[in-house]
Amino acid sequence: MIIQDLANSINGKVIGNSNFFLNQDFTGRFTLLNDSVKGDIVIRHWINGKGIEIAADKNIAALITQTPKDGAVEKAEELNFPLIVCDKIELANAYALKWTVDNFSPNSTNVVITGTNGKSTTSHLIYHILDNAGYHVLTNTDSESEFNTLIDPMVSKLISDEVNANGELDYLVIEVSEVQGWLGNLMKNHASLMSDALAPKVGVITNIAMDHIGLVNSIDEVFDEISAVPEAIGDGTTVLNYDDDLVRKIKADNPFYWSMNDKNVDLYFDDGIYYDGKLIIEKGDLPFTSGHFIQNILSAVGAGINLGIDLEVIKDGVKSYKALNRRFAKLNDEPLIIDDFAHNPDGIKNTIRETVKLLDDNQKLHVVCAIRGSRGVEINKLNVEALVEVLTEDINLFLSSSNDVVNNLNYVSSEEREVFFDILNSNDIAYTHFDNLADCLSEVCDLASKNDVILLIGAQGMDPAESLLKNIL
């Protein structure tokens, strides 16, 4: 690789040395600055002069950034260090991903998953089916955490590190955020750029709904981002949710539809999962039977079918699957406490509706919702409106700002909190708000009887709930 060719490929400009630093060889590894070693290429959204000094001291081959500041350019020139400045960092990340796949995993079969809800569970389920079958497979989502969805070079690093450590991959299963941005600016066509870099045989689109308010401001913008993915998939197969009106409008060369409502599609759920009109997985063999999880299972089964995986192998993988962290996870039995990552309108409505289905006549439901911090008024307005839509008089609602467990990047502003209060008050919905999550959970657990159900929902503000409950229950 020649540095000028690299710069040209991402519409970048080389500052400082026009060769790799100290004319050393490129290791083939794109990575983060704190993880880098001699000969790596680092990609960062921004860098300052001190960062350039660190990069030069580490003898990395080159550094790519979108935003040089605080003496970065001057320091690169002074040290004759190869700094590449580009207008769009997503081009650098897409280049890194494609280069890494081409050079480290050229023979793998690749799968890409995108959409607003269910990406992580679907990705990990596809991964589990393949891993359970004995294939060497890598995903950027695991049962403990979600790495990222290609806003930085982490996935490229994961691929090169895995191949170096354990040999050639059979499959890559990559989750891609449907909408991505940096400092409030939309990275337009992010999902299609990353999908194109992977050259997937199979793509999965779970659904289309509002999230990431500020980066996009209408459902039409979300549709534009997601609907560009099938073109990147090319002559591969796109697994599509037939029950989603917007997904049904997406044009794909080779669509494969699943449904929970229509039996006239490729794959559907009735009293089990049917393919080509034949029952392939009985309902009793599903690891969970709530509606939104069955949707994820259908997406994963559809991907497996189109990868050519034997139906019995797919069935075995589905039967043995364990849910991701905070995906309708049971934390306690008496009272039953369910924890879910639901953090946008569709996720909130689906999760509450599925929980209500679990209730017996004599059970009470307590919903504990963490307000989204530092995400703006609009997404919180949509979230509280989703609550209003599904809450009934016999459901107790508790809100938490989670000040005791979040950092400044997830702190709930007064405006974000007030929009919750205003909309709940205007709809005559009773609620109790706590500044701290620990206080909120303690109160709910004190009020709930052993026969009740407590549902925890929310993103970062609810993440520490499980550990806090260990000291409360």
Side-chain angles (χ1 to χ4, degrees):
M1 180 192 296
I2 299 172
I3 196 168
Q4 191 60 58
D5 292 341
L6 167 59
N8 292 341
S9 297
I10 61 175
N11 298 328
K13 177 184 177 183
V14 180
I15 295 169
N17 198 337
S18 59
N19 297 306
F20 287 132
F21 191 48
L22 302 179
N23 293 314
Q24 63 185 272
D25 292 332
F26 170 43
T27 60
R29 191 169 180 257
F30 291 89
T31 187
L32 310 173
L33 183 57
N34 61 358
D35 183 69
S36 61
V37 298
K38 180 179 179 180
D40 288 348
I41 291 179
V42 166
I43 301 176
R44 281 181 62 96
H45 291 90
W46 66 270
I47 195 75
N48 58 19
K50 181 62 177 176
I52 296 296
E53 287 184 356
I54 293 171
D57 287 343
K58 297 183 96 171
N59 293 319
I60 70 169
L63 190 146
I64 304 170
T65 191
Q66 180 176 313
T67 311
K69 58 183 184 179
D70 299 334
V73 169
E74 292 79 5
K75 184 59 68 174
E77 291 173 338
E78 175 191 334
L79 298 176
N80 201 27
F81 178 83
L83 173 67
I84 301 174
V85 179
C86 59
D87 291 331
K88 296 182 178 180
I89 200 69
E90 59 268 35
L91 294 180
N93 287 318
Y95 179 93
L97 183 61
K98 177 173 173 48
W99 194 94
T100 302
V101 170
D102 288 349
N103 288 273
F104 283 86
S105 195
N107 299 314
S108 62
T109 301
N110 305 332
V111 184
V112 64
I113 302 92
T114 194
T116 307
N117 298 100
K119 294 186 295 294
S120 296
T121 298
T122 301
S123 300
H124 194 250
L125 184 48
I126 295 169
Y127 164 84
H128 176 75
I129 290 169
L130 296 169
D131 181 64
N132 191 63
Y135 294 106
H136 186 195
V137 55
L138 175 71
T139 184
N140 60 328
T141 301
D142 70 11
S143 59
E144 297 298 325
S145 63
E146 298 163 42
F147 285 112
N148 62 81
T149 47
L150 308 173
I151 194 171
D152 57 33
M154 178 61 82
V155 174
S156 299
K157 165 188 145 43
L158 290 172
I159 295 169
S160 56
D161 286 356
E162 176 64 23
V163 173
N164 282 333
N166 299 307
E168 188 172 344
L169 288 162
D170 298 312
Y171 289 94
L172 270 172
V173 179
I174 302 298
E175 172 189 346
V176 176
S177 178
E178 80 286 10
V179 172
Q180 194 58 271
W182 173 246
L183 294 179
N185 297 311
L186 176 68
M187 291 178 174
K188 193 164 179 58
N189 295 324
H190 172 269
S192 60
L193 266 174
M194 300 305 167
S195 298
D196 184 64
L198 287 161
K201 179 178 181 179
V202 173
V204 176
I205 296 176
T206 59
N207 75 322
I208 298 176
M210 284 301 292
D211 198 356
H212 306 288
I213 303 297
L215 295 178
V216 288
N217 297 295
S218 71
I219 196 67
D220 290 337
E221 289 184 77
V222 183
F223 178 83
D224 288 344
E225 290 297 305
I226 296 177
S227 63
V229 170
E231 185 177 346
I233 295 169
D235 58 3
T237 300
T238 308
V239 178
L240 298 162
N241 176 0
Y242 191 79
D243 298 336
D244 188 298
D245 292 342
L246 288 173
V247 172
R248 211 162 50 240
K249 292 180 180 179
I250 290 177
K251 296 178 181 178
D253 289 345
N254 295 300
F256 180 96
Y257 291 104
W258 62 258
S259 175
M260 294 183 67
N261 304 313
D262 195 317
K263 297 180 181 179
N264 298 308
V265 296
D266 303 289
L267 185 73
Y268 66 87
F269 176 81
D270 188 14
D271 54 347
I273 294 178
Y274 288 77
Y275 173 54
D276 276 350
K278 298 178 182 178
L279 179 65
I280 60 169
I281 306 177
E282 295 180 2
K283 185 175 181 179
D285 287 331
L286 301 181
F288 25 65
T289 55
S290 58
H292 57 307
F293 280 114
I294 293 176
Q295 293 174 345
N296 300 154
I297 294 170
L298 286 165
S299 287
V301 170
I305 289 170
N306 286 285
L307 290 171
I309 306 301
D310 183 87
L311 293 179
E312 284 299 317
V313 172
I314 294 174
K315 179 180 178 179
D316 288 343
V318 170
K319 286 177 64 175
S320 60
Y321 180 70
K322 304 297 181 185
L324 278 166
N325 187 36
R326 296 207 63 216
R327 266 52 175 200
F328 218 69
K330 184 173 75 171
L331 303 185
N332 195 62
D333 288 312
E334 293 183 343
L336 175 61
I337 301 178
I338 297 170
D339 184 21
D340 195 89
F341 191 65
H343 62 289
N344 59 37
D346 275 18
I348 289 169
K349 289 186 287 188
N350 288 337
T351 302
I352 293 176
R353 284 168 176 159
E354 292 301 328
T355 307
V356 168
K357 292 177 184 177
L358 300 177
L359 296 176
D360 293 329
D361 291 339
N362 61 341
Q363 284 185 300
K364 186 82 174 177
L365 175 60
H366 310 270
V367 174
V368 185
C369 177
I371 301 170
R372 294 196 73 177
S374 302
R375 297 304 190 276
V377 169
E378 188 61 31
I379 186 60
N380 279 294
K381 179 175 182 290
L382 293 173
N383 282 351
V384 70
E385 287 172 346
L387 282 172
V388 169
E389 186 176 332
V390 294
L391 289 177
T392 57
E393 290 182 359
D394 54 348
I395 298 176
N396 288 331
L397 176 63
F398 299 83
L399 305 175
S400 174
S401 293
S402 303
N403 293 345
D404 54 333
V405 293
V406 298
N407 57 24
N408 64 321
L409 298 177
N410 296 291
Y411 191 83
V412 177
S413 70
S414 59
E415 293 82 8
E416 291 169 329
R417 186 171 57 248
E418 289 300 325
V419 75
F420 258 80
F421 298 167
D422 291 346
I423 290 177
L424 291 172
N425 291 336
S426 65
N427 285 276
D428 295 322
I429 293 179
Y431 62 91
T432 306
H433 171 263
F434 292 84
D435 289 328
N436 295 330
L437 182 60
D439 296 337
C440 184
L441 294 175
S442 294
E443 179 71 11
V444 176
C445 290
D446 285 344
L447 288 175
S449 72
K450 288 185 176 182
N451 194 46
D452 288 348
V453 178
I454 299 172
L455 174 64
L456 312 178
I457 57 175
Q460 289 78 11
M462 193 58 71
D463 279 346
E466 182 174 7
S467 61
L468 291 175
L469 285 168
K470 292 176 181 177
N471 298 319
I472 294 172
L473 295 172

